Amino acid sequence: MAMKTYTLFFILLLANAAFANHYQFIVKETSIERLCKSKKILTVNGKFPGPTIYANKGSTLIVHVYNKSKYNITIHWHGVKQPRNPWSDGPEYITQCPIQPGSQFKQTIILSDEEGTIWWHAHNKWARATVHGAIIVYPNPGHSYPFPKPHAEIPIILGEWWKDSVVEVLKEFVGSGGQPQTSDAFLINGQPGDYYPCSKHGTFKLEIKSGKTYLLRILNAAMHEILFFAIRNHKLTIVGTDGSYTKPLTRDFIAISPGQTFDCLLKANQNPNNFYYMAARAYTNGTNVQFNNSTTTAIIKYQENNYNFNNSPISLPYLPSYYDTPSTINFSVSLRSLASKIHPISVPTKVKTRLVSTVSINLLPCPKNNTRSCQGPNGTRLSASMNNISFLTPPRYNILEAYYYNRVKGVFGADFPDFPPYVFNYTDDVLPLELELPKFGTQVKVLKYNTTVELVLQGTNLVTGLDHPMHLHGYNFYVVGWGLGNFDEKYDPKNYNLVDPPRRNNVVVPKNGWVAIRFRADNPGVWTMHCHIERHLTWGMQTVFIVKNGHKPEEHILPPPHYMPPC
Ligand SMILES: *[C@@H]1O[C@H](CO)[C@@H](O)[C@H](O)[C@H]1NC(C)=O
Ligand SMILES: *[C@@H]1O[C@H](CO)[C@@H](O)[C@H](O)[C@H]1NC(C)=O
Ligand SMILES: *[C@@H]1O[C@H](CO)[C@@H](O)[C@H](O)[C@H]1NC(C)=O
Ligand SMILES: *[C@@H]1O[C@H](CO)[C@@H](O)[C@H](O)[C@H]1NC(C)=O
Ligand SMILES: *[C@@H]1O[C@H](CO)[C@@H](O)[C@H](O)[C@H]1NC(C)=O
Ligand SMILES: *[C@@H]1O[C@H](CO)[C@@H](O)[C@H](O)[C@H]1NC(C)=O
Ligand SMILES: *[C@@H]1O[C@H](CO)[C@@H](O)[C@H](O)[C@H]1NC(C)=O
Ligand SMILES: *[C@@H]1O[C@H](CO)[C@@H](O)[C@H](O)[C@H]1NC(C)=O
Ligand SMILES: *[C@@H]1O[C@H](CO)[C@@H](O)[C@H](O)[C@H]1NC(C)=O
Ligand SMILES: *[C@@H]1O[C@H](CO)[C@@H](O)[C@H](O)[C@H]1NC(C)=O
Ligand SMILES: CC(=O)N[C@H]1CO[C@H](CO)[C@@H](O)[C@@H]1O
Ligand SMILES: [Cu+2]
C-alpha cells in the first residue's frame, strides 16, 4: 500500500513537471499598434492577449500579480470553481480590494473538475478589455480526451477594441447615462483582420495540414457583444464548453457570448489550394442598441498550399444576420453534456432552494442638478437590475472580508429576494413605464451549505428585451430548461432535461425568455453572479451568493492568505 502511494506520487510529480505551477503576471501599460496607430493599453507581461496558462486537471497554481501600472487591478479566474477559496476569485470589492499601483497579490488558483478551456481576466472597471488570456486544462496524466487526439491545439481569443482608452470610454459612458461609445473593431487573437484599415499585415494566420484534425479553443473576451463565429467551407464540431465536455455537435457556425468558451474540432478536409477566412461579427437584437457591425477575420492556410495569399482571393464564411435570435437560441439549446461513465454529471433532482430572478434593463429619472448626464431614452439614465435591485458595489470594502470577519457592518444586506417582488407579464410588448425604475442596494442571497438550488432567470421587456449571458462564480451549473415568454412553474419543469443538460458557468437568458439552472451549494464562499455584457454589469445587473460553511472542517472556507490587498 505504502509502495503504491509512493509510486503514484512520483508519477504525479513527473506529469506535473510538464507545466509550470507558478506564474508571474506583471500588469503594465504597453504600446500596441492597431487600426493605423499605436496606443498604450494595460497588459499582462506586455502581451495582448495575455499569456496562456497550461495546467493539468485538479492542479493548484500560484499566480503572483504585480501591478506596475498606474491603475487599480484585480484578476479573476473565469470558470475555476476555487473550492473553498473565494480569496483569489478576484471581483473588485466583492472578494478583495484592488491591487493598487506598486503593490502585488499572490493568488492561488485551485483547479478541481474543470477540464477544457477556461480563461482569466481583469475584474475591475473595464480593465478586462485588454487584460485577459486563456487557461487550458488538460486531462489528468494517464487520461485522454473523449475524442481523437487532435494534431494541434489553437487558442482563438475573440476581443473588442476601442481607439480611445477604455478608461476614458468608461468615464464618458458613466457620465452620459446613455450607451457606451461603440467599439472600433472586433479581434481574433488580438488582430482585427483584413477588413479594417492598416490591419492586413497583422492578421492572424493558422496553418493546417490536410487530413489532420485541430482543436480550436475559442473564447469570447469581447466586452459587450455576443458573436457569431464560423470558418469558410469548414464545419466546427463542438466537444466542450466552459470547461466541461459536451456530446459532439457539428455546426456551420457558433454563437458565443462574452464569458463563454467552446472547444471545437476542425477537420482540414477542404481544397488545400484555397485560403479560408475564419470570421466573427456581432449579434444583438434589441431596440436602439448600438454596436459595431464590422467583421473580424483571420486566415486559414493549408501547409500544402504554395500560392501567395497576397494575390489570392479569400472568401468569408456565412454568418447569420445581426438580429438572428432564432439562430442563437437554436445553437445554445442544442448543447448536451457528454455525461459518460468517465465524465459523469450529477444534476440535482430534488430542489431545496427555489429562486426566480428577473433580469432587466431599467431607466432612472434625470437628476435636476446634472441634466447632461441623461443621454438615455427620453432624457433618462440607463440602469439594470436583478429582481428589481440594481447592484451597488461597496465603495470602500469588500463583501468577503466583511462577511468572514463579521466586523464591518453595513457593507451588504442579506435581502436579495427569492422571487420577483412584483409579478407582471414580464415579456409583454408594452409595459407600464413606472416599472422601469429599479431600487438600489448591495443585497446578497445567503445559501445553506449543500442545499440544492434551482434558479430561474427571467428576462423582461422593460426598456428593451435583450439577451443576457449570466455568469456565476464558484460553480458550474446545469442548464435544465429554457423557454420564450414567461416561465410557468406548473408546466415548464415537466420539460426539463435532467439527463444530459449542459454544464456551464455562463448561460444566455434569451431575449424575452427564461432559463432554469441547477447547482448544489457545496462550495462555501462569496460568489457573484452577473451579466457578462460589461455595460449591463456597470448598470447593476449583478447579485452575490454567500454560501455558508458546512459542519465539518473540510466544508469551511479556507483560511485567508497571509496578505490580502487593503482598501
Ligand atoms: C465599426 O468599426 C469600423 C472600423 O473601425 C468603423 O469604421 C465604424 O465606424 C464602426 N461602426 C460603428 C457603427 O461604430
Ligand atoms: C453598418 O453600420 C454603418 C453605420 O451605422 C451603416 O452605414 C452600414 O450600412 C452598416 N452595414 C451593415 C452591413 O449593416
Ligand atoms: C428579434 O427578436 C424578436 C423577439 O423579441 C423576434 O421576434 C425577431 O424575430 C428577432 N429578429 C430576428 C431578425 O430574428
Ligand atoms: C437548428 O439548426 C440545425 C442546424 O442548422 C437545423 O438542422 C435544425 O433544424 C434547427 N432546429 C430548429 C428547431 O430550428
Ligand atoms: C446632485 O445632487 C445629488 C444629491 O442631491 C448629489 O449627490 C450629487 O453629487 C449632485 N451632483 C452634482 C453634479 O452636483
Ligand atoms: C404576455 O404578453 C404577451 C405579449 O404581448 C402575450 O402574448 C401574452 O398573452 C401575455 N400573457 C399573459 C398571461 O397575459
Ligand atoms: C421596482 O422598484 C421601484 C422602487 O420601489 C418601483 O417603483 C418599481 O415599480 C419596481 N419595479 C418592478 C418591476 O418591480
Ligand atoms: C449533501 O446532500 C446530499 C443529498 O442530500 C447528501 O447525499 C450528501 O451526503 C450531502 N453532503 C454533505 C457533505 O453534507
Ligand atoms: C419614451 O417616452 C414615450 C412617451 O411617453 C414612451 O412611449 C416610450 O415608451 C418611452 N421610451 C422608453 C424606452 O421608456
Ligand atoms: C484604487 O483602490 C483604492 C482602494 O480601494 C481606492 O481608494 C482608490 O480610489 C482606487 N482608485 C481608483 C482610481 O479607482
Ligand atoms: C513598485 C511598482 O511597480 N511601481 C510602479 C507602479 O506604477 C507606476 C506607474 O506606471 C510605475 O512607474 C511604478 O514603477
Ligand atoms: Cu445583460
Side-chain angles (χ1 to χ4, degrees):
M1 192 65 209
M3 183 63 201
K4 218 172 184 176
T5 316
Y6 187 75
T7 318
L8 187 66
F9 182 56
F10 185 60
I11 291 170
L12 276 176
L13 265 184
L14 270 183
N16 282 340
F19 303 118
N21 281 11
H22 283 72
Y23 287 81
Q24 257 194 15
F25 272 28
I26 313 283
V27 178
K28 59 180 179 189
E29 283 191 287
T30 308
S31 275
I32 302 273
E33 196 186 307
R34 294 289 178 275
L35 305 182
C36 317
K37 66 176 187 184
S38 182
K39 173 182 153 182
K40 276 206 162 166
I41 59 168
L42 215 52
T43 63
V44 165
N45 300 350
K47 289 188 178 165
F48 178 68
T52 301
I53 288 182
Y54 301 91
N56 275 126
K57 180 178 184 174
S59 56
T60 292
L61 312 172
I62 306 290
V63 183
H64 209 140
V65 182
Y66 297 85
N67 187 352
K68 302 204 169 174
S69 82
K70 56 178 190 277
Y71 303 105
N72 285 350
I73 194 83
T74 70
I75 308 281
H76 166 57
W77 318 91
H78 181 123
V80 181
K81 285 157 71 175
Q82 296 274 30
R84 304 161 61 209
N85 183 33
W87 304 105
S88 283
D89 192 45
E92 181 180 49
Y93 301 122
I94 308 288
T95 63
Q96 69 169 88
C97 296
I99 309 167
Q100 293 180 46
S103 65
Q104 46 177 290
F105 182 31
K106 198 164 142 187
Q107 294 183 252
T108 305
I109 293 79
I110 305 176
L111 297 168
S112 51
D113 59 4
E114 305 85 1
E115 192 168 325
T117 309
I118 46 183
W119 61 301
W120 57 267
H121 62 76
H123 213 298
N124 66 311
K125 302 283 179 68
W126 283 14
R128 82 168 176 86
T130 60
V131 177
H132 59 250
I135 303 176
I136 296 178
V137 186
Y138 290 101
N140 263 329
H143 293 261
S144 53
Y145 295 129
F147 45 84
K149 191 177 186 317
H151 184 64
E153 306 185 3
I154 304 98
I156 301 287
I157 299 176
L158 307 175
E160 192 167 5
W161 182 266
W162 280 261
K163 284 182 190 161
D164 289 343
S165 116
V166 267
V167 176
E168 290 308 312
V169 173
L170 172 61
K171 215 163 151 190
E172 186 203 307
F173 163 63
V174 172
S176 77
Q179 300 221 31
Q181 190 191 117
T182 56
S183 56
D184 298 298
F186 293 103
L187 310 172
I188 296 177
N189 288 347
Q191 293 290 346
D194 294 356
Y195 284 77
Y196 295 89
C198 324
S199 295
K200 249 188 140 79
H201 65 280
T203 299
F204 175 70
K205 292 174 197 75
L206 172 60
E207 242 188 47
I208 59 178
K209 198 166 169 4
S210 269
K212 302 284 187 201
T213 298
Y214 294 80
L215 178 60
L216 304 187
R217 297 179 173 279
I218 308 171
L219 70 89
N220 185 351
M223 296 294 274
H224 301 302
E225 309 307 336
I226 298 173
L227 297 167
F228 288 120
F229 172 90
I231 301 177
R232 175 83 180 185
N233 287 10
H234 292 74
K235 290 186 186 295
L236 293 165
T237 300
I238 297 98
V239 291
T241 183
D242 292 1
S244 292
Y245 292 118
T246 62
K247 294 197 169 75
L249 175 71
T250 300
R251 287 294 164 102
D252 292 326
F253 62 84
I254 65 169
I256 182 167
S257 297
Q260 293 182 336
T261 69
F262 286 107
D263 288 345
C264 297
L265 296 177
L266 163 72
K267 277 196 176 133
N269 58 6
Q270 294 298 306
N271 181 349
N273 290 325
N274 291 338
F275 295 90
Y276 304 90
Y277 272 133
M278 60 174 92
R281 72 176 187 201
Y283 153 77
T284 190
N285 179 5
T287 316
N288 293 322
V289 178
Q290 295 141 24
F291 61 94
N292 192 303
N293 62 15
S294 57
T295 304
T296 177
T297 55
I299 296 170
I300 292 199
K301 175 192 181 296
Y302 280 73
Q303 276 172 19
E304 296 81 0
N305 189 341
N306 292 320
Y307 294 96
N308 182 345
F309 57 75
N310 286 331
N311 10 347
S312 305
I314 317 181
S315 325
L316 285 170
Y318 165 79
L319 292 166
S321 100
Y322 303 106
Y323 316 102
D324 192 343
T325 301
S327 279
T328 60
I329 292 179
N330 176 318
F331 175 72
S332 71
V333 307
S334 299
L335 295 160
R336 296 284 178 275
S337 270
L338 179 59
S340 67
K341 252 199 192 121
I342 297 174
H343 300 283
I345 59 172
S346 59
V347 191
T349 48
K350 291 213 174 65
V351 171
K352 288 222 184 88
T353 305
R354 264 176 217 288
L355 306 172
V356 179
S357 176
T358 55
V359 286
S360 303
I361 304 294
N362 300 96
L363 295 181
L364 309 176
C366 191
K368 294 218 166 54
N369 60 358
N370 191 3
T371 49
R372 273 186 313 176
S373 72
C374 304
Q375 291 169 38
N378 293 343
T380 60
R381 286 179 63 79
L382 281 156
S383 182
S385 63
M386 293 179 68
N387 272 349
N388 203 36
I389 299 179
S390 186
F391 188 83
L392 290 177
T393 306
R396 271 179 295 277
Y397 205 58
N398 67 80
I399 296 177
L400 173 58
E401 288 180 274
Y403 165 68
Y404 189 81
Y405 296 111
N406 196 17
R407 273 206 305 250
V408 187
K409 302 287 172 205
V411 173
F412 66 91
D415 291 330
F416 185 79
D418 290 358
F419 297 98
Y422 178 67
V423 174
F424 59 103
N425 187 345
Y426 305 111
T427 55
D428 208 347
D429 297 334
V430 182
L431 288 167
L433 294 184
E434 333 47 293
L435 295 182
E436 288 177 344
L437 178 73
K439 291 185 185 116
F440 286 91
T442 311
Q443 297 299 339
V444 310
K445 172 67 195 168
V446 177
L447 296 171
K448 275 193 191 146
Y449 180 79
N450 203 34
T451 187
T452 44
V453 182
E454 175 176 306
L455 168 62
V456 174
L457 294 161
Q458 171 72 61
T460 78
N461 201 28
L462 290 172
V463 187
T464 176
L466 275 180
D467 300 76
H468 298 292
M470 300 300 293
H471 171 52
L472 176 62
H473 291 214
Y475 289 88
N476 288 322
F477 50 73
Y478 295 97
V479 187
V480 296
W482 74 280
L484 295 176
N486 301 316
F487 172 69
D488 184 328
E489 65 174 50
K490 253 208 195 108
Y491 297 104
D492 287 324
K494 290 179 183 155
N495 296 321
Y496 282 174
N497 175 5
L498 302 177
V499 176
D500 60 357
R503 183 164 66 181
R504 315 204 62 170
N505 60 53
N506 183 319
V507 64
V508 177
V509 182
K511 179 186 179 181
N512 288 329
W514 57 271
V515 294
I517 65 172
R518 287 190 181 179
F519 61 96
R520 177 181 294 281
D522 55 5
N523 187 13
V526 170
W527 310 109
T528 169
M529 176 169 222
H530 62 85
C531 184
H532 224 284
I533 290 182
E534 208 62 31
R535 62 183 189 277
H536 298 174
L537 174 56
T538 305
W539 287 336
M541 193 175 279
Q542 178 173 19
T543 189
V544 168
F545 289 105
I546 291 186
V547 178
K548 299 213 300 203
N549 286 340
H551 294 300
K552 299 177 199 143
E554 65 271 22
E555 298 164 2
H556 287 197
I557 297 181
L558 293 173
H562 295 303
Y563 172 85
M564 287 293 290
C567 266

